[in-house]
Amino acid sequence: MASAEQPTVLVVEDEPAQREVVGYNLSAEGFRVVLAENGEEALVMVDEETPDIIVLDWMLPSVSGIEVCRRLKTRPDTRGIPIIMLSARSEEVDRIRGLETGADDYVVKPYSVLELMARVRAQLRRVRPAAAGQQLVFDDILLDAESHRVFRDEQPLKLGPTEFRLLATFMEKPGRVWSREQLLDRVWGRDIYVDTRTVDVHIGRLRKALCQHGGSDPVRTVRGAGYSLG
Ligand code: CA
């Protein structure tokens, strides 16, 4: 089973060999990879589980990559997912058209796998800084994703692994309200059955851990909606 901390990349490519190469390399980089063969399948998969990043081939049968990109970028719930377009078209006008559709980046085929991986990582740093191993700061709380350490007001905090993942999730998007189901997906993983009450238990532990040297409780309960930081 994939760890919930692993960022998910959806690869949409109709050519099996290319799909496999990209998927293989992303897995080797530590990503959880989900594969789609065409545009319709990609749109269904995004509805089932929001990926962190999408690598999207332009030339797909029936629903083209451009159309998939356009649809996802006009929907408020999917607009924020970075899309890297892959295209055999190298002309400047196509590049511009790709970016105008809302694609976040554009890679021309044949591309080097190293280049594609670098671009995926760049998008990841933007949308999932903790998953990319960066330091996150919120008020007096500092989370170092690489060393798995948390400090508040410069004092180290003792935190369980689940509480660490909860905090990292919150700190990646301060102010965002997370439902219990969303936190379960992100922190525990979709493949595990856990009661939503478990989330409340670990939120309680996180609050306690964050206040172990004093300070106010930064975790907000949003009635009927879930939890947020700040
Ligand atoms: Ca193609």
PDB file of all heavy atoms in Angstrom, residues 12-15 18 37 57-61 86 109, ligand 1:
ATOM      1  N   VAL A  12      -1.446  10.870 -18.013  1.00  0.00           N
ATOM      2  CA  VAL A  12      -2.440  10.610 -19.056  1.00  0.00           C
ATOM      3  C   VAL A  12      -1.710  10.530 -20.378  1.00  0.00           C
ATOM      4  O   VAL A  12      -1.184  11.533 -20.878  1.00  0.00           O
ATOM      5  CB  VAL A  12      -3.503  11.727 -19.115  1.00  0.00           C
ATOM      6  CG1 VAL A  12      -4.683  11.281 -19.968  1.00  0.00           C
ATOM      7  CG2 VAL A  12      -3.961  12.143 -17.723  1.00  0.00           C
ATOM      8  N   GLU A  13      -1.634   9.334 -20.927  1.00  0.00           N
ATOM      9  CA  GLU A  13      -0.857   9.110 -22.157  1.00  0.00           C
ATOM     10  C   GLU A  13      -1.442   7.884 -22.850  1.00  0.00           C
ATOM     11  O   GLU A  13      -1.641   6.851 -22.219  1.00  0.00           O
ATOM     12  CB  GLU A  13       0.613   8.903 -21.759  1.00  0.00           C
ATOM     13  CG  GLU A  13       1.522   8.355 -22.823  1.00  0.00           C
ATOM     14  CD  GLU A  13       1.791   9.334 -23.941  1.00  0.00           C
ATOM     15  OE1 GLU A  13       2.630  10.250 -23.756  1.00  0.00           O
ATOM     16  OE2 GLU A  13       1.171   9.178 -25.012  1.00  0.00           O
ATOM     17  N   ASP A  14      -1.743   8.013 -24.149  1.00  0.00           N
ATOM     18  CA  ASP A  14      -2.362   6.894 -24.853  1.00  0.00           C
ATOM     19  C   ASP A  14      -1.353   5.878 -25.381  1.00  0.00           C
ATOM     20  O   ASP A  14      -1.718   4.743 -25.653  1.00  0.00           O
ATOM     21  CB  ASP A  14      -3.258   7.401 -25.997  1.00  0.00           C
ATOM     22  CG  ASP A  14      -2.491   8.258 -26.990  1.00  0.00           C
ATOM     23  OD1 ASP A  14      -1.634   9.057 -26.539  1.00  0.00           O
ATOM     24  OD2 ASP A  14      -2.729   8.136 -28.198  1.00  0.00           O
ATOM     25  N   GLU A  15      -0.086   6.283 -25.518  1.00  0.00           N
ATOM     26  CA  GLU A  15       0.896   5.320 -26.015  1.00  0.00           C
ATOM     27  C   GLU A  15       1.462   4.511 -24.847  1.00  0.00           C
ATOM     28  O   GLU A  15       2.097   5.079 -23.948  1.00  0.00           O
ATOM     29  CB  GLU A  15       2.029   6.043 -26.743  1.00  0.00           C
ATOM     30  CG  GLU A  15       1.604   6.572 -28.108  1.00  0.00           C
ATOM     31  CD  GLU A  15       2.200   7.923 -28.424  1.00  0.00           C
ATOM     32  OE1 GLU A  15       3.419   7.994 -28.587  1.00  0.00           O
ATOM     33  OE2 GLU A  15       1.434   8.908 -28.465  1.00  0.00           O
ATOM     34  N   GLN A  18       5.207   4.876 -23.712  1.00  0.00           N
ATOM     35  CA  GLN A  18       5.503   6.178 -23.093  1.00  0.00           C
ATOM     36  C   GLN A  18       4.899   6.268 -21.700  1.00  0.00           C
ATOM     37  O   GLN A  18       5.500   6.809 -20.771  1.00  0.00           O
ATOM     38  CB  GLN A  18       4.931   7.290 -23.960  1.00  0.00           C
ATOM     39  CG  GLN A  18       5.551   7.311 -25.334  1.00  0.00           C
ATOM     40  CD  GLN A  18       5.887   8.717 -25.777  1.00  0.00           C
ATOM     41  OE1 GLN A  18       6.113   9.599 -24.958  1.00  0.00           O
ATOM     42  NE2 GLN A  18       5.925   8.920 -27.078  1.00  0.00           N
ATOM     43  N   GLU A  37      -5.383   6.138 -19.859  1.00  0.00           N
ATOM     44  CA  GLU A  37      -5.056   5.939 -21.272  1.00  0.00           C
ATOM     45  C   GLU A  37      -5.672   6.994 -22.173  1.00  0.00           C
ATOM     46  O   GLU A  37      -5.303   7.126 -23.328  1.00  0.00           O
ATOM     47  CB  GLU A  37      -5.570   4.579 -21.752  1.00  0.00           C
ATOM     48  CG  GLU A  37      -5.000   3.425 -20.999  1.00  0.00           C
ATOM     49  CD  GLU A  37      -5.524   2.093 -21.541  1.00  0.00           C
ATOM     50  OE1 GLU A  37      -6.125   2.069 -22.621  1.00  0.00           O
ATOM     51  OE2 GLU A  37      -5.319   1.098 -20.852  1.00  0.00           O
ATOM     52  N   ASP A  57      -0.694  14.229 -21.829  1.00  0.00           N
ATOM     53  CA  ASP A  57      -0.333  14.245 -23.247  1.00  0.00           C
ATOM     54  C   ASP A  57      -1.346  15.091 -24.018  1.00  0.00           C
ATOM     55  O   ASP A  57      -2.538  15.038 -23.749  1.00  0.00           O
ATOM     56  CB  ASP A  57      -0.315  12.802 -23.774  1.00  0.00           C
ATOM     57  CG  ASP A  57       0.211  12.719 -25.198  1.00  0.00           C
ATOM     58  OD1 ASP A  57       1.012  13.594 -25.579  1.00  0.00           O
ATOM     59  OD2 ASP A  57      -0.186  11.797 -25.912  1.00  0.00           O
ATOM     60  N   TRP A  58      -0.848  15.865 -24.952  1.00  0.00           N
ATOM     61  CA  TRP A  58      -1.731  16.724 -25.748  1.00  0.00           C
ATOM     62  C   TRP A  58      -2.579  15.883 -26.701  1.00  0.00           C
ATOM     63  O   TRP A  58      -3.786  16.020 -26.787  1.00  0.00           O
ATOM     64  CB  TRP A  58      -0.852  17.715 -26.529  1.00  0.00           C
ATOM     65  CG  TRP A  58      -1.548  18.644 -27.464  1.00  0.00           C
ATOM     66  CD1 TRP A  58      -2.500  18.321 -28.397  1.00  0.00           C
ATOM     67  CD2 TRP A  58      -1.341  20.050 -27.572  1.00  0.00           C
ATOM     68  NE1 TRP A  58      -2.884  19.435 -29.076  1.00  0.00           N
ATOM     69  CE2 TRP A  58      -2.190  20.511 -28.603  1.00  0.00           C
ATOM     70  CE3 TRP A  58      -0.506  20.956 -26.913  1.00  0.00           C
ATOM     71  CZ2 TRP A  58      -2.227  21.856 -28.976  1.00  0.00           C
ATOM     72  CZ3 TRP A  58      -0.547  22.289 -27.294  1.00  0.00           C
ATOM     73  CH2 TRP A  58      -1.404  22.739 -28.312  1.00  0.00           C
ATOM     74  N   MET A  59      -1.890  14.980 -27.456  1.00  0.00           N
ATOM     75  CA  MET A  59      -2.565  14.193 -28.486  1.00  0.00           C
ATOM     76  C   MET A  59      -3.157  12.928 -27.884  1.00  0.00           C
ATOM     77  O   MET A  59      -2.459  11.943 -27.661  1.00  0.00           O
ATOM     78  CB  MET A  59      -1.565  13.823 -29.588  1.00  0.00           C
ATOM     79  CG  MET A  59      -0.962  15.025 -30.298  1.00  0.00           C
ATOM     80  SD  MET A  59      -2.179  16.001 -31.190  1.00  0.00           S
ATOM     81  CE  MET A  59      -2.390  14.981 -32.646  1.00  0.00           C
ATOM     82  N   LEU A  60      -4.445  12.972 -27.624  1.00  0.00           N
ATOM     83  CA  LEU A  60      -5.145  11.806 -27.079  1.00  0.00           C
ATOM     84  C   LEU A  60      -6.361  11.549 -27.966  1.00  0.00           C
ATOM     85  O   LEU A  60      -6.916  12.486 -28.536  1.00  0.00           O
ATOM     86  CB  LEU A  60      -5.626  12.099 -25.651  1.00  0.00           C
ATOM     87  CG  LEU A  60      -4.578  12.307 -24.561  1.00  0.00           C
ATOM     88  CD1 LEU A  60      -5.237  12.858 -23.303  1.00  0.00           C
ATOM     89  CD2 LEU A  60      -3.845  11.014 -24.246  1.00  0.00           C
ATOM     90  N   PRO A  61      -6.793  10.299 -28.069  1.00  0.00           N
ATOM     91  CA  PRO A  61      -7.992  10.030 -28.860  1.00  0.00           C
ATOM     92  C   PRO A  61      -9.234  10.636 -28.207  1.00  0.00           C
ATOM     93  O   PRO A  61      -9.282  10.781 -26.985  1.00  0.00           O
ATOM     94  CB  PRO A  61      -8.071   8.499 -28.879  1.00  0.00           C
ATOM     95  CG  PRO A  61      -7.241   8.043 -27.728  1.00  0.00           C
ATOM     96  CD  PRO A  61      -6.204   9.082 -27.494  1.00  0.00           C
ATOM     97  N   LEU A  86       2.406  17.444 -22.281  1.00  0.00           N
ATOM     98  CA  LEU A  86       3.425  16.833 -23.128  1.00  0.00           C
ATOM     99  C   LEU A  86       2.959  16.980 -24.565  1.00  0.00           C
ATOM    100  O   LEU A  86       1.803  16.696 -24.866  1.00  0.00           O
ATOM    101  CB  LEU A  86       3.550  15.337 -22.831  1.00  0.00           C
ATOM    102  CG  LEU A  86       3.864  14.909 -21.410  1.00  0.00           C
ATOM    103  CD1 LEU A  86       3.909  13.386 -21.346  1.00  0.00           C
ATOM    104  CD2 LEU A  86       5.198  15.485 -20.972  1.00  0.00           C
ATOM    105  N   LYS A 109       8.001  16.810 -26.808  1.00  0.00           N
ATOM    106  CA  LYS A 109       8.531  15.481 -27.130  1.00  0.00           C
ATOM    107  C   LYS A 109       9.452  15.569 -28.339  1.00  0.00           C
ATOM    108  O   LYS A 109       9.142  16.327 -29.253  1.00  0.00           O
ATOM    109  CB  LYS A 109       7.391  14.530 -27.466  1.00  0.00           C
ATOM    110  CG  LYS A 109       6.514  14.135 -26.304  1.00  0.00           C
ATOM    111  CD  LYS A 109       5.446  13.197 -26.847  1.00  0.00           C
ATOM    112  CE  LYS A 109       4.492  12.739 -25.761  1.00  0.00           C
ATOM    113  NZ  LYS A 109       3.439  11.861 -26.304  1.00  0.00           N
TER     114      LYS A 109
HETATM  115 CA    CA B   1      -0.456  10.665 -27.609  1.00  0.00          CA
END
